Amino acid sequence: MKPEGITYLTDVTLLTCIVAAGRADVVIRAAQGMGAPGAIVYHAQGLGPRERLGLLSIAIEAEKEVVSILVAADYQDAVLETIYRAAELDVPGAGMIYAIPVEKVATYIPRDIMEKGQAS
Amino acid sequence: MTDSVRYADYLRVIGAGRREVPMRELVSAPVRGADGRWTAAALPAAKLHGDEIAAVLKPYINVRLMEQIRAVVPLALYLALFQIIILRQLVEESLIVAGGLFAVIVGLMLFMEGLKLGLMPFGEIIGSNLPRKSSLPVVLLVTLLLGIGVTFAEPAIGALRAAGQNVSAERAPYLWAILNQWTRELVLVVGASVGLAAVTGTLRFLYGWSLKPLIYFSLVPVLLLTVYFSSDPELAKVIGLAWDAGAVTTGPVTVPLVLALGIGIAAAAGKGGSGLSGFGIVTLASLFPVIGVMLLALYVSAASSPAEIVAAAQAAAGAGQAEGAWFTVSPGLEIVSGVRAIVPLVIFLLLVLKLLLRQSLPRRAEIMLGIALTVVGMCVFNLGLTYGLSKLGGSAGSLIPSAFMQIPGADNSPLYLYQVGLVLALAFAWLLGYGATVAEPALNALGVTAETLTNGFIRKRSLIRAVSIGVASGIAVGVAKLVFDLPLVWLVVPPYLLAALLTVVSTEEFVNVAWDSAGVTTGPITVPLVLAMGLGLGNATQAVEGFGILCMASVGPIISVMLLGQWARIQLRMQEKAAVEEPVNHLLETGAPG
């Protein structure tokens, strides 16, 4: 017997982090260490700033990995900062991270986690 | 009274069951430490309730179960219906047979999944790392040993061993001796042959040899030995077994594992690339065992005379009445042989990994689960083989002749006129082969390869059809061999000579696909079913031995696929010619090119 209805998660933020190919692992590990439930990696190609560097562009990988992570909006800064530090995004050419508010999310929420959320 | 209700609250109430939870309530809150860095507890491993686990597993199992059901059920239904409608006989002990078939389905499902989770990653790790860390001779030695190991693990090999119990020692002493007294040596010889084939195939990978000369070189001794054997009336009875052994080896364990290793080695040597180079090992692995088994038969014939074997068989029959230990009787036997098939292979792979590569297993828990699944699946499959497939195939095989001749067990046989019954029996065999092959999943992959090879000129469907027709015709010829008791040498040598001839004129790529299609078609369901049917048929028609159907089923597709390739080439050339000769304006007039 399945209970009718749907549970929306609100106050969610989508963090998107773009790094050089092969560095998605660092980002994901940092995010998971901060309690992020999961992540999705896309393989992508970056254009723009790299081309404007002239010959220096050889030092920067055009192949990128884009990591998407959903986090609680209240804690987005904490996760974002942690990723920023872990992936060393303060170095030129290392990549970027941005946050987008998400209106709602619906998925299967394990009952265990749901109950814990209600209790606290 | 001016009571107000927020619209959102109202919506929440009427939209029952629709609710919102802020995500922060479900995750732990980060805390800022003294150094200004954020820390938070990571999400713990998921704790699921029983029904949630069931919901996760259901689609996973459904897909895999359906795969096996699609392969087994139509064949079993066809066999049973044929028996009931045409032969007017009920399937004996139908409940046990049904249970056995179910066990086959479940066992195969577990086995294949275990293979994917457990053994395949092993093969890939070793294949990609071994060549970098060890010298070529060591790599080749490991390949050889692996070839022997996978042969022991091959589920279809068990069917061959089980077949030995039905052979009469008086009428075919050497065959009986090999299948009963020398079983361990038999499997070892077959395994060593597969290992050698794997080594040759790996060398072929590395040095980019053409497959054609390899085929010629292995065909010559095979055919010479066959001709020599046929000249000796006692040895002639082993030919069928030898050729069938070749078809049996190229099953669902050997092919992927040996291929994984070979491809890994080739990739490490920088010779990867061509997707085709993976082919060829399968071909050699189905030719070499023929030589191996024949040599073993020669040795057996030199070591003991037919009279001695008959005496030994009679002694064994007398002693066999005593109650055996628990592991020599069913179902203990099946379980022990299942464990014995997998565990040595796993230990060997582990030793290679630890001693040669000094590496630990990645995802250890998953691989261990996979290996456990493989063992359990193998045991269940073996049980199902004994009680389901072999029984069904055997009973169908022994009853088919009742369509056209007097059979003691069947009522009012012959059921039909001799000619009508014979045609019915052959048509039955043909359709069985066709149905069993069309459903074979490995064939699909081969079809895709052929399509890309010929730039889509040969469709996947036409290749599958060609292979199926080849297998079906082969099985029908094999059944005819049993019914008329034809000498196998006349059925084996000419087709293989024809195949060799076609090999000369075919392109390299097509030679690869054609020769491999033979190995691909003999899967874990077809082999026991056809073997059991052949043996039952052989018993009923008083033939000496029921082997030979499988090898006919593997030469059939070789010829049919190469004929398809030739036909495609001729068509292509004619089209080109037409395109050159035909003036362009003529094309414009008709408006329809090609």
Side-chain angles (χ1 to χ4, degrees), chain A residues 5-12 32-35 37 70-72 74-75 78 81-82 85 108 110-114 117, chain B residues 17-30 32 36-44 47-49 51-52:
Chain A
I6 178 167
T7 304
Y8 290 114
L9 289 176
T10 58
D11 302 275
V12 181
Q32 280 179 336
M34 289 299 289
L70 288 173
V71 296
D74 303 57
Y75 312 139
E81 280 171 30
T82 312
R85 294 228 170 77
Y108 181 80
R111 235 181 297 140
D112 213 47
I113 292 179
M114 200 65 200
Chain B
R18 200 167 293 147
R19 60 178 182 155
E20 295 180 342
V21 177
M23 191 172 174
R24 64 173 169 273
E25 288 184 6
L26 303 185
V27 293
S28 60
R32 200 189 272 276
R37 297 280 174 101
W38 289 101
T39 49
L43 225 54
K47 269 188 264 139
L48 293 180
H49 296 270
D51 59 325
E52 288 173 323

Side-chain angles (χ1 to χ4, degrees), chain B residues 65 83 173 221 242 290 318 320 347 356 372-374 425 442 481-482 561 574:
Chain B
L65 199 60
Q83 211 168 334
V290 183
I347 292 175
L356 284 176
L373 281 181
T374 319
K481 175 239 165 199
L482 290 180
V561 169
M574 268 164 60

Side-chain angles (χ1 to χ4, degrees), chain B residues 270-478:
Chain B
K271 296 266 167 60
S274 164
L276 256 191
S277 47
F279 295 95
I281 287 189
V282 177
T283 309
L284 298 174
S286 58
L287 279 180
F288 282 12
V290 183
I291 306 178
V293 173
M294 287 203 197
L295 290 179
L296 178 71
L298 269 185
Y299 178 74
V300 170
S301 71
S304 51
S305 73
E308 279 170 33
I309 293 171
V310 171
Q314 275 156 358
Q321 302 302 323
E323 192 68 24
W326 67 272
F327 55 82
T328 57
V329 289
S330 178
L333 176 67
E334 280 82 5
I335 292 170
V336 167
S337 65
V339 172
R340 213 166 37 195
I342 307 289
V343 171
L345 179 65
V346 171
I347 292 175
F348 169 69
L349 288 175
L350 260 181
L351 280 181
V352 170
L353 202 65
K354 287 271 181 248
L355 296 182
L356 284 176
L357 299 181
R358 292 174 206 294
Q359 248 180 356
S360 57
L361 274 178
R363 288 173 296 134
R364 179 187 300 256
E366 232 171 82
I367 287 189
M368 286 302 155
L369 174 69
I371 288 167
L373 281 181
T374 319
V375 174
V376 172
M378 186 85 175
C379 295
V380 175
F381 176 78
N382 273 345
L383 278 174
L385 202 64
T386 315
Y387 291 109
L389 273 188
S390 294
K391 223 169 210 160
L392 194 58
S395 81
S398 58
L399 285 173
I400 288 169
S402 71
F404 55 86
M405 60 186 271
Q406 188 84 33
I407 291 289
D411 303 331
N412 57 29
S413 58
L415 285 171
Y416 305 97
L417 283 174
Y418 182 75
Q419 285 84 356
V420 177
L422 199 59
V423 168
L424 266 179
L426 291 183
F428 163 78
W430 199 91
L431 273 176
L432 178 70
Y434 193 87
T437 314
V438 162
E440 195 74 44
L443 197 53
N444 208 30
L446 196 72
V448 174
T449 318
E451 200 169 298
T452 40
L453 264 183
T454 56
N455 294 327
F457 194 75
I458 289 185
R459 292 287 163 77
K460 195 176 83 185
R461 288 230 328 260
S462 52
L463 182 98
I464 291 179
R465 212 170 290 156
V467 174
S468 304
I469 288 174
V471 173
S473 309
I475 289 184
V477 170

Side-chain angles (χ1 to χ4, degrees), chain B residues 501-512:
Chain B
L501 198 72
L502 281 169
T503 307
V504 178
V505 293
S506 293
T507 54
E508 176 77 22
E509 291 88 3
F510 239 89
V511 170
N512 280 313

Side-chain angles (χ1 to χ4, degrees), chain B residues 506-539:
Chain B
S506 293
T507 54
E508 176 77 22
E509 291 88 3
F510 239 89
V511 170
N512 280 313
V513 173
W515 282 85
D516 273 11
S517 66
V520 162
T521 51
T522 44
I525 293 161
T526 322
V527 168
L529 206 57
V530 169
L531 261 187
M533 199 183 78
L535 290 170
L537 197 66
N539 275 345

